[in-house]
């Protein structure tokens, strides 16, 4: 048997390598080979011929000749019909191989292969971040990303808040409660994975823009890398949470937009990039005009839009109100039907719109009356447009004709006039706030959102970055339907959750900071009480509904509380002993050195000693892992155990 037949036969023993049509998934095999996959290598070793061909014996140890294997697999004439991934490609090559195929083109930045916890507990905090290398710090990463214990759970509705009794679930067992989670978003996203993977329809995020003024200011040295790593870690898990027909929207300004797009392309695949929406987010006024001789005043932001899988994209087109002139400047003809129906349309009379206005004695100098006449008669006002793919030559030129494309579907017809397709103004009239109005379809430049009165929306303030409810409602309407799940893991003042609540979508919001009186929780309480700002009127919002508030239980919190309560150095030293024993300290903390300098520690004031110990913990903001729920060291309360078990559905 030829070697490639042997290889094919052997590889097909692994069902994951075979398509539904029984063909070999060559790209999967290639990928596994590139990652020295144990299963693949084991399969090759099981066959004597393959073992001899693709392994070299070095001092008694067999070493996989990855290069040779990949080259062999990539031969053009090998397994031609399974060669689907790279087939018919046009692209740049080196040595006859596509750059992508060689895996030689990638977006790279310092600390790319790291995990960055990235978080603050107070707005003014600046943290020195730890980058956990994905290979070197596997244990730390596994621990960091394990699902977490939940605490402080309460249900909030019209009657106020009460301890959470139980999560509500649908027939598939999925939680149907709206959730607001306080805590680091990376860890919260990983906590949600078990319950919500593949179920989220829309993720909208409005992350820190890395302007130098936001929370990324603390790491000036590698500010850009930090930001990229921060975004990458979160986008990767976000993708897992999206359903196959789901969408991601990321709002961003010029500084990182191009980099973010490349990054998201890499994670979501370039083919899933749908568009970059340009949205007007400020006015040509104020301080931005001060340097108008140096730079163009910034009034736009970008919203990058991705699908999870472009084959499943299904949008609800959006329309905005416009003037009659803008919508219908070319709709100049008017039908006088004289009592004839569609089947007798060849008897219809066609006049100009101006003629119709005159015949109906409409006062043209009265815009209100004129507009009313035009809107009422929109089903008689039309324009024509050439249809290059249809041949209407046999239809009479100066009369209306009815055109049925599919004889099996006679109800589906349109009209032709003068050899062209007829479009009626009626098609662009829609009900807005209960009134018929001319509209145009929303494209990828949004200048109509408006930011006036933004600071009052929801009765909460956010100094930087609060987004208008109208913006969120457009995105939510575009890609979701009632009861779909919407997620925002940079919730800020809660705009996304507030809009989702008013629009009857299920939502999950994650935010690390407690904004006090301006917190998203306060805002949602206002929404439940029926507040009337933002999009309330558009959705006839009357109040009601509920949400569940949760926190990720912090491991360090117990230590911090003990340190704060300690009365003297003796007590602090005992706490230090406990901290050492738990061994959850950051690997940057050298326990031996700390102990060697105990005398210096004792010489500090009590406040300084407390601060020092807290600083050691600050770098290790670990939360309590689900696997430690019953570990007495972590002192989880019965309440926490109950809620956590209910969330993860464990006994
Ligand atoms: C620009 S604001 C979002 C504003 C929001 N769109 C609104 O309309 O109110 C970004 C938010 O992301 C939050 N954030 C940043 N890093 C985070 C992290 N690691 N975990 C959770 N939230 C984070 C910040 O605290 C901030 O509130």
């Amino acid at each position: 048997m030829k070697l490639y037949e042997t290889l094919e036969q052997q590889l097909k023993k692994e069902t994951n390598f075979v398509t539904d049509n029984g063909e070999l998934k060559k790209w999967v095999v290639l990928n596994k080979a590139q990652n020295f996959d144990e299963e693949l290598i084991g399969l090759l070793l099981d066959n004597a011929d393959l073992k001899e061909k693709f392994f070299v014996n070095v001092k008694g140890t067999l070493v996989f000749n990855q290069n040779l294997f990949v080259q062999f697999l990539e031969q053009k004439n090998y397994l031609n019909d399974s060669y689907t991934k790279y087939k018919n490609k046009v692209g740049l090559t080196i040595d006859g191989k596509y750059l992508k195929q060689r895996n030689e083109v990638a977006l790279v930045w310092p600390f790319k292969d790291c995990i960055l916890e990235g978080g603050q507990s107070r707005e003014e905090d600046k943290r020195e971040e730890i980058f956990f290398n994905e290979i070197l710090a596997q244990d730390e990463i596994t621990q960091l990303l394990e699902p977490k214990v939940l605490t402080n759970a309460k249900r909030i509705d019209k009657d106020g808040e009460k301890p959470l009794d139980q999560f509500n679930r649908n027939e598939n067992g999925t939680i149907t409660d709206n959730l607001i989670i306080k805590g680091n978003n990376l860890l919260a996203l990983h906590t949600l994975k078990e319950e919500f993977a593949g179920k989220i329809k829309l993720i909208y995020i409005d992350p820190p823009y890395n302007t130098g003024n936001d929370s990324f200011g603390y790491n000036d040295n590698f500010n850009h890398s930090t930001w990229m790593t921060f975004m990458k870690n979160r986008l990767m898990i976000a993708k897992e949470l999206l359903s196959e027909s789901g969408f991601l929207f990321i709002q961003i300004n010029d500084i990182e937009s191009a980099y973010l797009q490349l990054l998201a392309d890499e994670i979501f695949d370039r083919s899933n990039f749908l568009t970059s929406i340009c949205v007007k987010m400020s006015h040509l006024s104020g301080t931005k005009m001060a340097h108008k001789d140096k730079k163009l005043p910034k009034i736009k932001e970008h919203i990058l839009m991705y699908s999870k899988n472009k084959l499943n994209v299904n949008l609800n087109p959006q329309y905005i109100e416009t003037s009659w002139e803008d919508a219908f400047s070319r709709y100049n003809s008017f039908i006088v039907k004289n009592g004839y129906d569609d089947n007798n349309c060849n008897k219809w009379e066609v006049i100009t719109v101006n003629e119709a206005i005159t015949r109906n004695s409409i006062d043209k100098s009265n815009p209100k009356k004129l507009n009313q006449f035009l809107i009422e008669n929109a089903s008689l006002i039309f324009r024509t447009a050439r249809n290059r793919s249809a041949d209407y030559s046999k239809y009479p030129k100066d009369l209306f004709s009815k055109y049925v494309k599919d004889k099996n579907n006679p109800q589906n017809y349109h009209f032709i006039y003068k050899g062209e397709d007829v479009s009626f103004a009626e098609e662009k009239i829609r009900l807005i706030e209960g009134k018929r109005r001319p509209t145009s379809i929303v494209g990828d430049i949004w200048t109509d959102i408006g930011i006036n009165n933004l600071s009052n929306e929801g009765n909460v303030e956010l100094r930087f970055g609060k987004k208008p409810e109208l913006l969120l409602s457009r995105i939510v309407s575009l890609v979701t339907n009632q009861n779909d799940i919407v997620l925002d893991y940079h919730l800020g003042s809660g705009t996304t959750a507030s809009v989702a609540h008013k629009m009857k979508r299920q939502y999950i919001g994650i935010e690390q900071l407690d904004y006090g009186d301006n917190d998203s929780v306060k805002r949602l309480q206002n929404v439940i009480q029926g507040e009337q700002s933002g999009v309330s009127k558009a959705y006839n919002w009357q109040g009601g509904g509920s949400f569940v508030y949760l926190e990720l239980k912090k491991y360090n919190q117990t230590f911090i509380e003990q340190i704060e309560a300690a009365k003297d150095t003796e007590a602090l030293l005992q706490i230090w002993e406990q901290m050492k024993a738990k061994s959850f300290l950051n690997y940057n903390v050298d326990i031996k050195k700390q102990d060697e300098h105990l005398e210096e520690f004792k010489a500090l004031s009590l406040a300084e000693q407390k601060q020092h110990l807290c600083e050691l913990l600050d770098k290790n903001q670990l939360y309590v892992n689900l696997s430690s729920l019953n570990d007495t060291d972590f002192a989880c309360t019965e309440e926490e155990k109950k809620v956590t078990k209910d969330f993860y559905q464990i006994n």
Side-chain angles (χ1 to χ4, degrees):
M1 205 188 309
K2 287 188 178 150
L3 189 70
Y4 67 74
E5 285 168 1
T6 311
L7 177 61
E8 182 175 7
Q9 219 174 60
Q10 186 68 0
L11 292 175
K12 280 187 173 175
K13 287 184 181 165
E14 170 50 54
T15 47
N16 288 333
F17 295 166
V18 186
T19 66
D20 291 345
N21 303 332
E23 289 164 9
L24 192 70
K25 291 181 189 167
K26 190 171 155 188
W27 63 97
V28 174
V29 178
L30 268 171
N31 203 300
K32 298 252 177 203
Q34 265 143 3
N35 291 312
F36 291 97
D37 179 75
E38 268 179 49
E39 203 173 28
L40 171 68
I41 293 178
L43 213 54
L44 298 177
L45 283 171
D46 285 346
N47 180 287
D49 292 340
L50 301 176
K51 185 161 146 183
E52 200 192 319
K53 171 79 181 172
F54 295 118
F55 292 83
V56 253
N57 193 326
V58 185
K59 295 191 175 177
T61 301
L62 287 181
V63 179
F64 179 44
N65 192 340
Q66 183 208 47
N67 222 345
L68 182 72
F69 181 77
V70 170
Q71 270 179 23
F72 185 82
L73 210 66
E74 284 182 344
Q75 281 176 80
K76 241 189 168 158
N77 57 357
Y78 173 69
L79 301 179
N80 242 341
D81 46 357
S82 73
Y83 200 61
T84 48
K85 182 142 186 198
Y86 302 119
K87 203 160 70 171
N88 302 329
K89 263 199 149 180
V90 176
L92 299 175
T93 64
I94 297 176
D95 292 342
K97 281 192 199 142
Y98 294 103
L99 297 186
K100 184 148 189 203
Q101 192 177 350
R102 290 172 64 114
N103 280 341
E104 282 173 9
V105 182
L107 180 65
V108 172
W109 65 90
F111 309 104
K112 179 181 178 183
D113 298 321
C114 289
I115 300 270
L116 180 71
E117 186 189 335
Q120 307 146 274
S121 41
R122 290 179 307 152
E123 206 168 358
E124 62 278 19
D125 271 358
K126 293 185 189 298
R127 285 178 23 150
E128 223 172 88
E129 288 293 349
I130 303 166
F131 291 84
F132 290 114
N133 184 287
E134 282 171 7
I135 293 166
L136 304 180
Q138 249 324 310
D139 289 346
E140 284 82 354
I141 292 174
T142 310
Q143 232 168 46
L144 188 73
L145 303 184
E146 242 191 61
K148 303 291 176 250
V149 169
L150 303 169
T151 185
N152 246 329
K154 47 199 174 200
R155 182 180 297 282
I156 300 177
D157 60 18
K158 238 179 167 144
D159 304 325
E161 56 179 65
K162 44 183 175 287
L164 179 67
D165 178 29
Q166 206 182 12
F167 289 100
N168 291 312
R169 294 180 185 269
N170 63 17
E171 60 285 1
N172 303 320
T174 306
I175 291 177
T176 52
D177 290 307
N178 301 315
L179 305 178
I180 296 296
I181 304 178
K182 196 65 29 134
N184 178 294
N185 54 9
L186 180 68
L187 314 189
L189 288 169
H190 280 272
T191 292
L192 290 172
K193 186 169 149 181
E194 183 83 8
E195 176 67 22
F196 289 102
K199 295 182 183 164
I200 308 285
K201 187 65 192 280
L202 161 66
I203 298 180
Y204 166 87
I205 50 163
D206 171 27
Y209 288 178
N210 198 16
T211 55
N213 301 324
D214 54 31
S215 42
F216 282 85
Y218 55 71
N219 247 323
D220 285 340
N221 299 348
F222 32 79
N223 178 296
H224 175 60
S225 304
T226 318
W227 190 86
M228 292 286 279
T229 305
F230 173 89
M231 292 302 294
K232 176 187 157 230
N233 296 159
R234 285 146 183 85
L235 286 176
M236 287 181 73
I237 172 71
K239 185 182 171 198
E240 286 188 53
L241 294 178
L242 275 182
S243 72
E244 277 306 298
S245 58
F247 295 87
L248 167 76
F249 287 71
I250 320 174
Q251 185 145 357
I252 196 73
N253 72 2
D254 286 348
I255 295 176
E256 294 288 7
S257 148
Y259 290 94
L260 181 61
Q261 190 171 334
L262 286 179
L263 173 66
D265 273 0
E266 196 170 289
I267 297 168
F268 277 75
D269 199 289
R270 196 170 168 184
S271 62
N272 284 314
F273 169 69
L274 298 178
T275 192
S276 170
I277 299 162
C278 174
V279 52
K280 183 175 170 204
M281 289 300 299
S282 78
H283 298 300
L284 280 172
S285 62
T287 48
K288 67 176 82 59
M289 305 302 284
H291 303 289
K292 56 184 180 299
D293 53 340
K294 295 274 182 251
K295 56 185 178 193
L296 297 180
K298 268 188 200 311
I299 54 170
K300 65 142 195 327
E301 289 183 7
H302 309 266
I303 303 179
L304 305 181
M305 177 180 176
Y306 282 83
S307 57
K308 169 85 174 266
N309 180 346
K310 69 168 187 296
L311 298 177
N312 300 327
V313 168
N314 191 7
L315 304 178
N316 305 319
Q318 297 298 299
Y319 297 86
I320 42 170
E321 187 179 349
T322 180
S323 67
W324 182 276
E325 297 75 51
D326 284 349
F328 302 119
S329 61
R330 295 167 67 191
Y331 288 66
N332 299 323
S333 307
F334 193 102
I335 303 171
V336 182
K337 291 194 174 175
N338 292 324
Y340 294 107
D341 65 8
D342 291 2
N343 292 325
N344 295 296
C345 60
N346 56 352
K347 304 216 169 64
W348 291 349
E349 182 191 356
V350 176
I351 59 175
T352 65
V353 171
N354 274 336
E355 170 73 15
I357 292 169
T358 313
R359 279 196 201 177
N360 287 277
S361 313
I362 303 298
D363 177 4
K364 262 183 138 175
S365 62
N366 183 338
K368 216 171 152 193
K369 282 257 160 8
L370 179 62
N371 220 32
Q372 190 185 344
F373 172 78
L374 294 171
I375 290 178
E376 276 171 9
N377 290 286
S379 57
L380 301 174
I381 297 173
F382 72 95
R383 59 166 286 195
T384 62
R386 193 128 64 93
N387 181 343
R388 286 177 203 278
S389 60
D391 175 13
Y392 298 142
S393 55
K394 61 178 192 302
Y395 291 86
K397 274 265 171 290
D398 294 328
L399 298 176
F400 255 74
S401 311
K402 194 173 148 185
Y403 181 78
V404 179
K405 194 171 179 191
D406 176 4
K407 293 212 164 58
N408 296 323
N409 192 4
Q411 291 314 312
N412 193 0
Y413 59 84
H414 68 264
F415 295 103
I416 40 182
Y417 182 64
K418 295 198 167 167
E420 297 191 331
D421 284 339
V422 171
S423 306
F424 290 99
E426 183 63 30
E427 291 157 21
K428 293 207 264 176
I429 301 284
R430 302 202 128 63
L431 268 189
I432 295 182
E433 289 172 11
K435 292 206 176 109
R436 282 164 54 79
R437 300 179 205 261
T439 60
S440 63
I441 194 158
V442 170
D444 58 3
I445 301 185
W446 298 359
T447 54
D448 61 306
I449 295 293
I451 44 158
N452 297 337
N453 293 326
L454 176 58
S455 62
N456 298 329
E457 285 192 354
N459 302 333
V460 296
E461 282 181 21
L462 182 74
R463 250 188 322 150
F464 303 111
K466 188 179 182 190
K467 298 295 178 281
E469 291 201 3
L470 183 59
L471 174 68
L472 266 301
S473 74
R474 176 160 306 158
I475 294 172
V476 171
S477 316
L478 186 63
V479 298
T480 70
N481 296 310
Q482 268 196 21
N483 301 327
D484 279 342
I485 311 180
V486 176
L487 165 67
D488 183 343
Y489 56 85
H490 285 282
L491 191 62
S493 68
T495 311
T496 308
S498 170
V499 168
H501 195 110
K502 292 175 188 176
M503 293 176 70
K504 300 198 166 58
R505 268 55 168 182
Q506 188 181 334
Y507 57 86
I508 304 174
I510 306 170
E511 171 58 51
Q512 64 183 356
L513 297 184
D514 182 345
Y515 289 111
D517 284 344
N518 292 308
D519 199 79
S520 55
V521 170
K522 286 274 173 335
R523 179 172 186 167
L524 289 167
Q525 282 172 319
N526 297 336
V527 170
I528 289 173
Q529 296 305 333
E531 66 86 6
Q532 286 299 303
S533 65
V535 295
S536 290
K537 293 202 173 59
Y539 292 93
N540 189 23
W541 178 246
Q542 303 295 328
S546 72
F547 66 97
V548 169
Y549 172 88
L550 297 164
E551 286 171 23
L552 304 182
K553 184 176 167 71
K554 279 182 185 164
Y555 170 68
N556 285 344
Q557 197 56 38
T558 37
F559 288 109
I560 288 174
E561 281 160 17
Q562 285 176 30
I563 293 169
E564 277 170 359
K567 294 260 175 319
D568 51 31
T569 307
E570 193 55 34
L572 284 178
L573 286 174
Q574 274 172 21
I575 296 169
W576 169 234
E577 286 306 311
Q578 279 181 44
M579 282 164 58
K580 283 195 296 184
K582 302 281 159 56
S583 73
F584 264 11
L585 293 174
N586 179 359
Y587 61 69
N588 286 355
V589 175
D590 186 337
I591 295 180
K592 239 171 100 192
K593 270 212 178 104
Q594 297 288 330
D595 279 342
E596 279 167 17
H597 293 90
L598 269 191
E599 289 311 312
E600 288 162 46
F601 176 80
K602 287 180 191 165
L604 298 173
S605 70
L606 188 67
E608 285 168 333
Q609 289 172 352
K610 287 186 177 183
Q611 192 190 339
H612 180 72
L613 284 191
C614 281
E615 272 170 14
L616 299 181
L617 285 166
D618 256 352
K619 293 179 185 169
N620 290 280
Q621 282 237 14
L622 290 179
Y623 293 74
V624 180
N625 286 339
L626 176 61
S627 53
S628 306
L629 186 65
N630 293 318
D631 185 331
T632 46
D633 282 347
F634 296 93
C636 295
T637 64
E638 284 312 310
E639 196 61 38
E640 287 166 349
K641 285 183 187 167
K642 188 176 138 225
V643 170
T644 304
K645 284 179 181 173
D646 183 19
F647 183 85
Y648 296 104
Q649 291 189 283
I650 48 177
N651 295 318

